[in-house]
Amino acid sequence: MHKFIELNTLNIKNRYTDLIHQTFFFPRHGFDVKDNQLFFHGVDLNELIEKFGTPLKFNYLPKIDSQIEKARNLFNQAFEKYDYQGKYNYCYCTKSSHFSFVLNRVLENGVDLETSSAFDLSIIKKLAANGKFQKNQFIICNGYKTEQYAQNMASLVESGFENLVCVLDNVDEFDLIDKYAKKPMHLGIRIATEEEPNFLVYTSRLGMSHKKIVDLYEEKIKHNPKFSLNVLHFFVNSGIRDTTYFWSELTRLVNVYCDVKQVCPELENLDIGGGMPIYTSLGVEYDYAYMIDQIVYYIKAICDNREVPVPNILTEFGSFTVGESGGSLYSIIGQKEQNDKELWYMINSSFITTLPDTWGIGQKFIMLAVNQWDHEFQRINLGGLTCDSQDFYNSDTNTNQVFMPKLKDGEVLHMGFFHTGAYQESLGGYGGIQHCLIPAPKHILIDLDDEGNLKYEVFATEQNVDSMLNILGY
Ligand SMILES: Cc1ncc(COP(=O)(O)O)c(C=O)c1O
């Protein structure tokens, strides 16, 4: 549903505000413009910048609540529609953003957790010690099982975390957890997905084939009083999309669930992983209600057809939970005309260090000017501060180009990347040593108080030189 988009053939007035209003359905998704200044969920971003300066990262925390509520409502609606006799369980995938303010927020929403490494479990222990995580909540342990990870799982189960599930990726992981587990515990098994035809490998390197799952269960789990198999998990690498590939892969995987359920009656949960898309462009539209409706419909129809009771459905939405809460704001600190076609606007930070997905996997995000919307627009390239020639951003999802307001001498321009709340800090290495010693930006948390008024908290100030020199051993 995007309006586009042969820019040259459209009768666009040449102000930045006209460009945005005519190219996209705008305002939407919490974005709005008043007096030529950008607002995000009612936050006057220009005012935010005046208060705290740039570069600045922020998280608008109420968005986390509304995303969780949205998924739960849509699953519940679909459950009612299809008379689905199972439960829906929203888990948050901690690796998307490990920050305490994210974990605290998702837990306030009664969400369970999915982990991917040994230290993730230390976070859970700490949250439990502070009364934020209860011992009967689900902990779905995915990821490669090292000795330390297996020890941490076993120790949490011993201390009473009765719903920790060790999801096995291969048979060796069974032997490893068997070595450390003293108390009975739950196991899960990850089903290997078949990748899209254009992917580099045919079958995902993660998970096990259908036959191996049944063999592992029959040989090592079925008669073992220490373990019960109660979750099957899969994660379709390309995410939840309304494509023939996704629906046919879902059908195959639900059939695997039914096959295993027929030999393993204790199995009752199907964890369909993460991958719910988020808006990284103002030019697309996702029909979440339809996708969730169809997921529930397929699972129910296949299980009914196979005469197998429907499973409880677990999801591990990472980006969906936290992605749209985040943003990064920069100022343009210089311009450089490189030839008659290429004009560069320099931001006061780096894409490589603060938005590494833009550099590593060519990820696009929603990108908008924060001020000067009444100025004429022009095509530009955005350059980052590092000396790396790859530290740039010059292509938007819909237009394959980037436009910004034109500036006269002395005029100030701020701009922002939005929905950047997932993965960027963990991949970029928050507060560590980064390319050309570009410091980690300050980080502001935005929330609503009891009266619904905006409130701000400085989570971290900009990284300082002492912290870097310290890490470097000076
Ligand atoms: C096992 C597993 N679950 C959940 C997720 C979260 O995916 P997303 O952020 O796309 O929701 C990931 C992401 O890599 C994953 O590997």
Side-chain angles (χ1 to χ4, degrees):
M1 169 181 167
H2 63 262
K3 275 187 186 178
F4 171 61
I5 274 177
E6 265 308 316
L7 282 175
N8 298 335
T9 63
L10 279 177
N11 179 21
I12 285 183
K13 291 187 216 144
N14 60 359
R15 292 178 310 163
Y16 184 79
T17 188
D18 303 317
L19 172 79
I20 299 300
H21 284 91
Q22 294 183 23
T23 308
F24 305 113
F25 291 94
F26 191 93
R28 64 196 316 226
H29 302 319
F31 294 96
D32 201 356
V33 67
K34 291 181 204 155
D35 295 334
N36 297 306
Q37 322 258 8
L38 183 64
F39 283 66
F40 182 62
H41 295 292
V43 178
D44 180 338
L45 295 175
N46 217 46
E47 203 179 277
L48 188 74
I49 290 172
E50 271 166 23
K51 202 166 169 157
F52 297 106
T54 60
L56 173 158
K57 286 204 167 196
F58 69 83
N59 280 82
Y60 176 75
L61 299 173
K63 188 69 194 173
I64 296 176
D65 307 330
S66 58
Q67 290 290 90
I68 295 169
E69 197 187 332
K70 176 153 101 184
R72 281 183 170 150
N73 285 342
L74 293 176
F75 270 99
N76 287 338
Q77 275 168 29
F79 279 13
E80 261 181 45
K81 179 169 166 191
Y82 297 112
D83 190 24
Y84 193 94
Q85 298 298 312
K87 290 198 211 94
Y88 171 61
N89 204 326
Y90 192 114
C91 302
Y92 170 63
C93 157
T94 57
K95 75 179 138 215
S96 309
S97 175
H98 294 102
F99 285 107
S100 53
F101 55 82
V102 173
L103 268 293
N104 290 341
R105 196 70 175 212
V106 298
L107 292 175
E108 279 167 24
N109 283 280
V111 158
D112 293 334
L113 297 178
E114 185 253 0
T115 64
S116 22
S117 72
F119 289 2
D120 263 342
L121 294 180
S122 306
I123 293 180
I124 292 189
K125 250 173 145 171
K126 187 106 190 175
L127 289 165
N130 294 335
K132 295 183 169 161
F133 189 84
Q134 309 310 314
K135 286 193 166 171
N136 62 355
Q137 287 188 256
F138 262 115
I139 309 172
I140 306 288
C141 299
N142 276 318
Y144 194 89
K145 309 304 177 309
T146 59
E147 298 268 343
Q148 181 71 59
Y149 196 5
Q151 279 174 33
N152 289 2
M153 280 186 262
S155 119
L156 277 182
V157 172
E158 265 172 63
S159 61
F161 289 85
E162 60 198 57
N163 282 320
L164 183 145
V165 182
C166 171
V167 180
L168 304 173
D169 185 71
N170 54 57
V171 181
D172 293 345
E173 287 189 355
F174 175 84
D175 298 330
L176 188 65
I177 195 68
D178 191 27
K179 182 166 116 190
Y180 290 108
K182 299 210 171 56
K183 272 185 138 184
M185 67 182 283
H186 297 302
L187 294 178
I189 300 181
R190 180 164 177 162
I191 318 170
T193 53
E194 282 170 19
E195 297 289 358
E196 272 186 293
N198 59 359
F199 198 61
L200 297 174
V201 291
Y202 174 62
T203 305
S204 166
R205 73 184 170 87
L206 301 158
M208 288 183 235
S209 70
H210 162 206
K211 163 128 187 22
K212 281 197 183 136
I213 295 173
V214 173
D215 290 350
L216 173 61
Y217 173 71
E218 299 271 358
E219 285 164 26
K220 301 205 172 195
I221 302 173
K222 189 170 179 177
H223 302 294
N224 189 333
K226 214 161 59 170
F227 297 110
S228 61
L229 177 63
N230 82 344
V231 177
L232 279 195
H233 165 54
F234 63 80
F235 181 58
V236 178
N237 190 28
S238 53
I240 297 173
R241 299 283 185 277
D242 184 16
T243 59
T244 316
Y245 161 71
F246 178 78
W247 299 120
S248 69
E249 193 53 7
L250 179 72
T251 305
R252 190 184 72 76
L253 293 160
V254 176
N255 271 297
V256 175
Y257 175 87
C258 294
D259 294 342
V260 181
K261 174 79 181 169
Q262 280 166 340
V263 294
C264 172
E266 68 203 8
L267 177 65
E268 48 188 25
N269 298 296
L270 180 63
D271 172 355
I272 66 170
M276 187 58 93
I278 64 169
Y279 287 108
T280 53
S281 160
L282 288 174
V284 294
E285 192 63 45
Y286 295 114
D287 191 343
Y288 292 103
Y290 171 76
M291 285 191 284
I292 290 175
D293 178 282
Q294 289 297 289
I295 289 171
V296 173
Y297 167 77
Y298 272 88
I299 297 176
K300 166 96 166 118
I302 296 165
C303 288
D304 284 356
N305 186 259
R306 299 280 309 267
E307 297 184 351
V308 158
V310 293
N312 300 319
I313 300 176
L314 276 63
T315 56
E316 305 168 349
F317 296 154
S319 310
F320 180 82
T321 311
V322 74
E324 293 189 2
S325 74
S328 300
L329 304 177
Y330 308 105
S331 302
I332 303 304
I333 53 169
Q335 293 186 41
K336 186 176 183 192
E337 190 150 1
Q338 201 59 352
N339 55 45
D340 54 359
K341 275 210 225 117
E342 281 158 2
L343 174 65
W344 289 87
Y345 274 18
M346 294 297 299
I347 63 164
N348 57 349
S349 189
S350 154
F351 295 107
I352 290 184
T353 65
T354 61
L355 294 175
D357 273 350
T358 61
W359 164 68
I361 55 169
Q363 176 68 51
K364 317 291 182 208
F365 290 106
I366 295 172
M367 188 219 59
L368 291 166
V370 168
N371 58 342
Q372 316 287 23
W373 278 49
D374 55 342
H375 283 37
E376 229 180 279
F377 69 85
Q378 63 183 342
R379 183 178 179 189
I380 53 102
N381 301 279
L382 289 165
L385 284 186
T386 72
C387 61
D388 196 307
S389 60
Q390 296 298 316
D391 196 355
F392 71 92
Y393 189 92
N394 72 347
S395 162
D396 195 21
T397 304
N398 304 109
T399 57
N400 289 323
Q401 307 175 29
V402 166
F403 298 94
M404 279 284 136
K406 270 188 187 172
L407 297 175
K408 294 199 194 86
D409 274 354
E411 282 181 332
V412 174
L413 177 65
H414 308 298
M415 45 98 41
F417 283 77
F418 300 91
H419 296 185
T420 58
Y423 301 108
Q424 301 316 295
E425 283 74 31
S426 40
L427 294 174
Y430 194 79
I433 291 303
Q434 296 184 314
H435 201 0
C436 294
L437 300 188
I438 305 299
K442 58 188 77 66
H443 199 136
I444 310 296
L445 304 182
I446 308 171
D447 205 349
L448 297 173
D449 66 17
D450 294 340
E451 275 83 49
N453 299 315
L454 289 163
K455 59 175 187 179
Y456 304 97
E457 181 194 332
V458 178
F459 175 73
T461 52
E462 187 173 39
Q463 188 182 17
N464 63 29
V465 64
D466 291 340
S467 102
M468 289 200 206
L469 296 196
N470 190 26
I471 294 171
L472 291 169
Y474 290 99

